[in-house]
Amino acid sequence: MSDITSELHKYLEEKNINAIFLSIVEEILHNKPENPIGFMVNFILEKYPEETKGFGKQQLQERTKAPSFVSTEVSSNDDIGETDSECSSVNTIESDDASSLLCDELSISEKSPVQKKRRESVCAEQLTEVTVAESELKVIEKSETEAARILYILKNNVFFNHLDEYQMKTVQDVMFCVERTDGDVIIKQGDDGDNFYCIDNGIVEIFIDSPKTGERNLVRTCGDGDAFGELAIMYNAPRAASCIAKGNVRLWALDRVSFNVILMKTTIAKRKSTVDILLNIPVFCLLTEFELNTIADTLQEAIFEDGTVICKQGDRGDKFYLVHQGTAVCTKSVADGTSVEVARLSTGAYFGEIALLTKQPRQATVTADGSLKCFSLDRRTFNRVMGPLREMLMRSIDEYAKSDAQ
Amino acid sequence: MDPLALEYSSIADFDVGVTLGTGSFGRVRFATHIKTKEHFAVKILRKVDLIKFRQVEHVKSEKAILHALSQDQHPFIVNMAASFQDPCYIYMVMECVIGGEFFSHLKNARRFTNLTARFFAAQVVLIFEHLHAKDIIYRDLKPENLLLDKDGYLKITDFGFAKIVSFKTYTLCGTPEYIAPEVLLNKGHGKGVDWWTLGILIYEMLAGDPPFVDEDPVGIYRKILTGKVHFPRTYDDYAKSLTKKLLTADLTKRYGCMKRGASDIKRCNWLVETKWEALLKRDLDTPIKPELSSITDTSNFEEYPEEIDIAKPPIYDGPDPFENI
Ligand SMILES: Nc1ncnc2c1ncn2[C@@H]1O[C@H](COP(=O)(O)OP(=O)(O)OP(=O)(O)O)[C@@H](O)[C@H]1O
């Protein structure tokens, strides 16, 4: 390659010229503008605001009047200055379509800068640990099938499906029944939101009243198993729509305070009971409260069926386990090849903690006896999160060895 | 200036000028200290509204945190010079950050180049590193809460949701597009939320919009919990890699939350070349220089109608919860 061409190539690469041209061509092909030259100028001004600072400010201002590559949908909007919803209607960025690379690119330039609006903060009321500890939750009796239906709905809702079994059950317990007849307003647009609802039985229509025209539009019809009003379990915000019963409706409702009390209470209780156990484990007892809390929150739930071998004598272990519910049996193989039971582990017991420190082979085989729920933590996660702590533990392992020998 | 000159002051010691910005409970105005002729921004909050919307604790904590932080005079944090109150209002006298809202600059630019975004992201990293070392979580990062000083460096303002937390706290707060999944799930959250919001900010700077958008908040929250982020093609690869590491729901994998803390972020490919010390000393060239005719030129701020706020709000007819602060 001659010097000149290689210099040219270097330049093209450095300045990313190919990509720039490609994007211009794509835009042109997509928009097929009458006046391609003017279109390109506008495109470059908008796409490279900083590089073109000071250039053609005037054209840029005129552009808002003249049709351009800014999508017609946007520029034909007459109250452009105070658009509220449009600023967030950029779902194309979120598009799941794998072939949407081009779309992604386009969706960005489709929006005009004037749409950007200041966003307000939101906030829930504060619950202190004291109020939570003192609050009492009212359990509402339900038939087995009712309870199962509620659980099914919760498990399929993204705002609830992260709850653990106990939290799920507690939430289900406090949900209360609401019965309405045809035309009853369950939620009124603009009102404070306190409850989340799921439909046990019946039909609910959701309407939005336009604040400008006063026109009422049906936006969704909900039936058995559907849920609405999720925002209310997070914080108090004016309801965005009205929900009206069509015929007789039976609903299950959940109020924000109860929900938050349940989550906070169960989370804190679980962490505390885990930390209490960790404190009794020699390798952990030297750690700070912060470190113990972090470990407690890093533990993962692991569920084993009856007979599952959780770890095997002689294998290199990499996980630590806490028994949460159920029983595990520890066996050791002896000289003649048979194995003997050496211990039974139940709630609060632990095993495999040495695996977090060294790659020593497992000392025994542990098997689930009946269904078993554990919390576990693997060495890699532990090192990633607790790093320096591992070294600290290494130093104290001598102590551990001593205490173990005694 | 002599700190005592301000310590016992009242609003009467100031010439209060134009509104620089508004919030939910009051506004921030340009103000000149009459005796010293120094310029400030005074945040003026209506007590009745704070009480009505149960923000008393937040404001107390905002004041306490700003006060504590102002002892260090961090270059990228708005410093508070004094605070006082009368029956109607709480006042916080802050240094005036004259270059305007970062939000407006981003809005005008539509989005930033990779280098510009990197310059600002690096400052946010330093801000959070500083706050977290003091066990303060900020919880409300967004372009609206960042200001540009006269040279084009960032200053973070609005400590309304900041909190001193040694491990975790529980109250959901933030700005919908920026809320971290663990906050939405109500399971307790800690310093990690700030690193999540940094991921959103980087994305918004480079793409022009935040990654999770929808017409209504519930829609935004669904997307946050689903966690799919699509990057525009122009998005720098290194920036993308960091953004992904920050927008990670798993706290054992999110950058900033692991054993090396912020240094994982500072050493990532996108930021590794940052001259951290020079940046902290404000010794670098800034990509955006606010146009200013003088140090009292407030033209970088939006204009706000002034008459609305003239009428004094009523005095709360109960014991004043701010009495002893
Ligand atoms: N120190 C400052 N110098 C200049 N302008 C400022 C300063 N502090 C705040 N502002 C302006 O005032 C606006 C509102 O400030 P701030 O966000 O602190 O108020 P707020 O009442 O807490 O708002 P919010 O309701 O969003 O919490 C800012 O967006 C900014 O435009």
Side-chain angles (χ1 to χ4, degrees), chain A residues 238-298:
Chain A
R239 296 290 197 179
S242 296
C243 306
I244 297 172
K246 191 171 185 192
N248 289 340
V249 182
R250 192 157 187 264
L251 307 138
W252 295 108
L254 172 67
D255 72 287
R256 173 171 62 253
V257 176
S258 302
F259 179 67
N260 288 334
V261 165
I262 291 170
L263 260 88
M264 194 160 157
K265 223 175 184 164
T266 50
T267 307
I268 293 172
K270 185 169 145 190
R271 184 183 303 137
K272 187 172 178 307
S273 71
T274 309
V275 167
D276 286 345
I277 299 171
L278 294 176
L279 274 172
N280 286 315
I281 305 178
V283 283
F284 295 133
C285 64
L286 297 174
L287 308 188
T288 66
E289 192 186 326
F290 181 87
E291 289 162 340
L292 291 170
N293 282 331
T294 308
I295 298 179
D297 279 13
T298 309

Side-chain angles (χ1 to χ4, degrees), chain A residues 22-23 26 46-47 49-51 53 57 85 87-91 93-96 100-102 104-105 108-109 111-114 116-127 129 157-159 162-164 167 230-231 233-235 259-260 263-264 267-268 271 290 293-294 297-298 300 381 383-388 391, chain B residues 22 24 54-55 57-58 101 103 106-113 116 140 142-144 161 163 166-168 170-179 184-187 191 203-204 207-215 217-218 221-223 225-226 228-234 250 252-253 257-259 287-288 291 302 304:
Chain A
L22 191 67
S23 66
E26 276 171 2
E46 177 129 324
K47 187 166 157 129
E50 285 176 50
E51 293 85 342
K53 217 177 208 160
K57 255 204 170 135
S85 53
C87 65
S88 33
S89 61
V90 279
N91 296 345
I93 291 197
E94 289 281 310
S95 155
D96 280 342
S100 68
L101 272 179
L102 180 60
D104 286 352
E105 186 58 20
I108 278 177
S109 38
K111 287 162 288 134
S112 121
V114 283
K116 240 186 148 117
K117 239 188 109 177
R118 309 183 92 250
R119 292 155 293 197
E120 289 210 3
S121 310
V122 296
C123 183
E125 50 276 78
Q126 249 172 329
L127 288 176
E129 299 201 13
N157 187 303
V158 69
F159 295 98
H162 61 94
L163 301 183
D164 66 31
Q167 290 173 324
E230 283 100 337
L231 195 58
I233 57 158
M234 294 192 254
Y235 50 85
F259 179 67
N260 288 334
L263 260 88
M264 194 160 157
T267 307
I268 293 172
R271 184 183 303 137
F290 181 87
N293 282 331
T294 308
D297 279 13
T298 309
Q300 303 273 329
T381 307
N383 288 350
R384 213 167 51 229
V385 180
M386 311 294 294
E391 287 149 33
Chain B
T22 57
S24 327
R54 301 199 218 146
Q55 296 299 314
E57 288 312 312
H58 279 142
E101 290 182 19
F103 175 79
L106 177 56
K107 182 166 105 174
N108 294 339
R110 190 66 198 92
R111 59 199 146 117
F112 289 151
T113 60
T116 303
D140 202 15
K142 55 177 164 180
E144 289 88 327
F161 291 159
K163 189 169 180 184
S166 57
F167 187 61
K168 284 191 181 173
Y170 296 85
T171 307
L172 185 154
C173 65
T175 297
E177 286 83 350
Y178 277 73
I179 298 180
L184 294 176
L185 297 183
N186 255 313
K187 290 180 156 181
K191 292 165 186 148
Y203 187 101
E204 185 167 343
D209 285 290
F212 308 111
V213 283
D214 199 274
E215 266 119 65
V218 173
Y221 300 149
R222 272 182 209 288
K223 288 178 182 168
L225 293 174
T226 312
K228 258 199 206 129
V229 180
H230 291 267
F231 291 89
R233 198 180 36 204
T234 48
D250 183 347
T252 74
K253 294 192 177 135
C257 304
M258 296 179 285
K259 70 165 182 179
I288 299 178
E291 283 175 32
E302 278 173 41
Y304 295 87

Side-chain angles (χ1 to χ4, degrees), chain A residues 118, chain B residues 21 23-24 28 41 43 94-95 97 101 144 147 157-158 301:
Chain A
R118 309 183 92 250
Chain B
S24 327
V28 174
K43 183 161 172 170
M94 300 173 284
E95 61 179 313
V97 189
E101 290 182 19
E144 289 88 327
L147 298 161
T157 181
D158 196 353
F301 289 89

Side-chain angles (χ1 to χ4, degrees), chain B residues 51-68:
Chain B
I51 296 164
K52 189 164 145 205
F53 294 99
R54 301 199 218 146
Q55 296 299 314
V56 176
E57 288 312 312
H58 279 142
V59 170
K60 282 187 185 172
S61 128
E62 173 174 14
K63 216 178 101 162
I65 286 175
L66 262 180
H67 181 78

